[in-house]
Amino acid sequence: ETGVTQSPTHLIKTRGQQVTLRCSSQSGHNTVSWYQQALGQGPQFIFQYYREEENGRGNFPPRFSGLQFPNYSSELNVNALELDDSALYLCASSPPDSGVGELFFGEGSRLTVL
Amino acid sequence: AQTVTQSQPEMSVQEAETVTLSCTYDTSESNYYLFWYKQPPSRQMILVIRQEAYKQQNATENRFSVNFQKAAKSFSLKISDSQLGDTAMYFCAFMSARSGNTGKLIFGQGTTLQVKP
């Protein structure tokens, strides 16, 4: 059984550009969450998707948006990139019968904004 | 707003010894969940242990146990018989019961644990 996979693993963008990060959930997992982890900090919740709908959002501006597809894979889109968007972006999925707060994380996508 | 604080940025322990990582949190809610997650150098975070606030008994998972002090809003992690594979960054996290199952965890800043041979 494959775990949560994310792509790309590393990417560099310039300020003002747009980026799309992708996540394939673990098999059978129908919920996906996205987190931003700045260097040396703990992850911060961006949003969660369930049944292709946003199901909770953290304190992030609208230029952070997402999608969940019927196969439960997901995308995180960030428009008008800022220098502070440089971070590790983590995707986490969970199955229907998961315990509260039990998330299965991918290894992340490291975004550098120049 | 809830906050989670880990006051120990780095810790080290000798292999086979015991180490305790500290965590405090702030909330006005009475029903919530607390977690310890481990992030090894490969970056994939793993759930170590979970505690429901309404349970007085401290959670235990093999070599990992917690000391949950609800009144003091303290939630420490004890690792017994430390192993080299325990080397990782450890995050304490909080989830409000009112969040439902939105996946909204509030993480602390993390503690880097180095287990020395």
Side-chain angles (χ1 to χ4, degrees):
Chain A
E1 182 177 293
T2 56
V4 177
T5 58
Q6 294 186 241
S7 63
T9 55
H10 296 82
L11 71 166
I12 300 173
K13 293 285 188 178
T14 56
R15 195 169 49 182
Q17 285 189 313
Q18 179 265 343
V19 68
T20 297
L21 307 178
R22 295 178 175 83
C23 172
S24 291
S25 300
Q26 192 162 325
S27 178
H29 291 198
N30 58 357
T31 301
V32 64
S33 304
W34 285 91
Y35 284 80
Q36 180 195 66
Q37 185 177 12
L39 196 61
Q41 301 294 318
Q44 288 193 42
F45 177 72
I46 303 175
F47 43 55
Q48 184 192 64
Y49 276 80
Y50 172 67
R51 292 185 175 180
E52 303 175 51
E53 297 282 336
E54 190 179 286
N55 180 40
R57 188 178 183 93
N59 189 26
F60 280 81
R63 59 190 186 83
F64 285 79
S65 63
L67 285 172
Q68 185 184 30
F69 300 100
N71 66 354
Y72 304 134
S73 65
S74 177
E75 286 182 356
L76 166 65
N77 298 289
V78 187
N79 294 322
L81 284 168
E82 301 176 359
L83 297 179
D84 285 348
D85 295 334
S86 294
L88 181 68
Y89 288 85
L90 296 169
C91 171
S93 68
S94 51
D97 58 348
S98 67
V100 174
E102 185 174 12
L103 303 179
F104 296 81
F105 284 86
E107 293 191 6
S109 292
R110 171 75 63 189
L111 171 65
T112 301
V113 182
L114 302 177
Chain B
Q2 296 94 356
T3 59
V4 177
T5 301
Q6 295 177 248
S7 59
Q8 306 154 312
E10 297 180 357
M11 293 192 70
S12 64
V13 64
Q14 292 295 130
E15 196 175 6
E17 294 189 345
T18 296
V19 64
T20 298
L21 309 183
S22 301
C23 173
T24 58
Y25 59 94
D26 189 27
T27 183
S28 59
E29 300 180 15
S30 59
N31 198 13
Y32 50 86
Y33 302 84
L34 295 165
F35 310 84
W36 280 97
Y37 270 85
K38 167 185 176 182
Q39 189 176 40
S42 68
R43 300 179 298 174
Q44 194 166 31
M45 277 217 286
I46 306 166
L47 176 63
V48 174
I49 199 164
R50 172 177 53 220
Q51 175 79 43
E52 292 93 338
Y54 61 86
K55 289 187 177 179
Q56 292 188 344
Q57 186 174 6
N58 289 322
T60 299
E61 288 287 343
N62 301 314
R63 299 183 293 108
F64 299 87
S65 61
V66 299
N67 184 3
F68 173 48
Q69 301 289 328
K70 191 172 184 179
K73 295 180 182 175
S74 170
F75 183 61
S76 61
L77 174 70
K78 185 172 81 171
I79 305 174
S80 304
D81 186 25
S82 296
Q83 300 176 0
L84 296 178
D86 295 334
T87 293
M89 181 166 277
Y90 287 81
F91 291 98
C92 178
F94 170 99
M95 174 183 276
S96 166
R98 292 193 297 178
S99 294
N101 202 18
T102 63
K104 184 178 181 179
L105 295 174
I106 298 169
F107 286 88
Q109 306 94 315
T111 297
T112 299
L113 175 67
Q114 177 78 40
V115 179
K116 298 180 178 179

